[in-house]
Amino acid sequence: MVKRLFTAGACAECKGCCLFEKGSEWEIPAECRARAFVKNDMTYCFFLGEGGCALAEGKPFECSLYPFRVMRLGGRRVLAVSDYCPETKKLSLSALLEFAENNREEIISKTNEHPEAVKDYRDGYVILEFLPEPEKD
């Protein structure tokens, strides 16, 4: 999804979203957590290869959305963006908000399909907007 905003080359070169410092393991998607491994005090996603994610188009929703993340804050879902990603630092706030607006329906739909992707809010994420809660049956 973020390929609409960032180049694959920039993401493959950085790989920061596939490496996790001690204390940030909570960010590892559930589908990847069991196969992650620790090396030199960093936790690595098993699917991280030389050119980036080996899963390519089949990567988990959370990975396809990063550095954006749907989080829970005060009982509500929010769309937030990580300040850890170097590519987000190159964009204006208006560009990030425009991405959120242009992809809102897809983000909401995929989040409803993958409720495990919603994490509790953590400091360091910039909140872009509140999202509607899923409809209850």
Side-chain angles (χ1 to χ4, degrees), residues 36-90:
F37 62 94
V38 177
K39 180 179 173 183
N40 299 327
D41 292 328
M42 295 289 287
T43 301
Y44 288 73
C45 178
F46 176 80
F47 299 106
L48 176 61
E50 289 298 316
C53 182
L55 296 175
E57 296 301 318
K59 66 178 72 174
F61 166 64
E62 291 173 74
C63 298
S64 69
L65 189 60
Y66 191 85
F68 298 89
R69 180 170 301 285
V70 178
M71 305 183 97
R72 183 149 308 281
L73 176 66
R76 294 193 58 197
R77 295 189 313 179
V78 297
L79 179 63
V81 64
S82 172
D83 67 351
Y84 180 77
C85 173
E87 291 299 302
T88 59
K89 294 175 184 176
K90 297 176 185 177

Side-chain angles (χ1 to χ4, degrees), residues 26 33 62 69-72 116-121:
W26 64 272
R33 193 169 293 126
E62 291 173 74
R69 180 170 301 285
V70 178
M71 305 183 97
R72 183 149 308 281
E116 73 283 356
V118 180
K119 308 285 190 199
D120 289 336
Y121 178 79

Side-chain angles (χ1 to χ4, degrees), residues 14 25 36 45 51 59-60 93 111 115 119:
C14 173
E25 297 90 348
C45 178
K59 66 178 72 174
L93 179 57
T111 301
K119 308 285 190 199

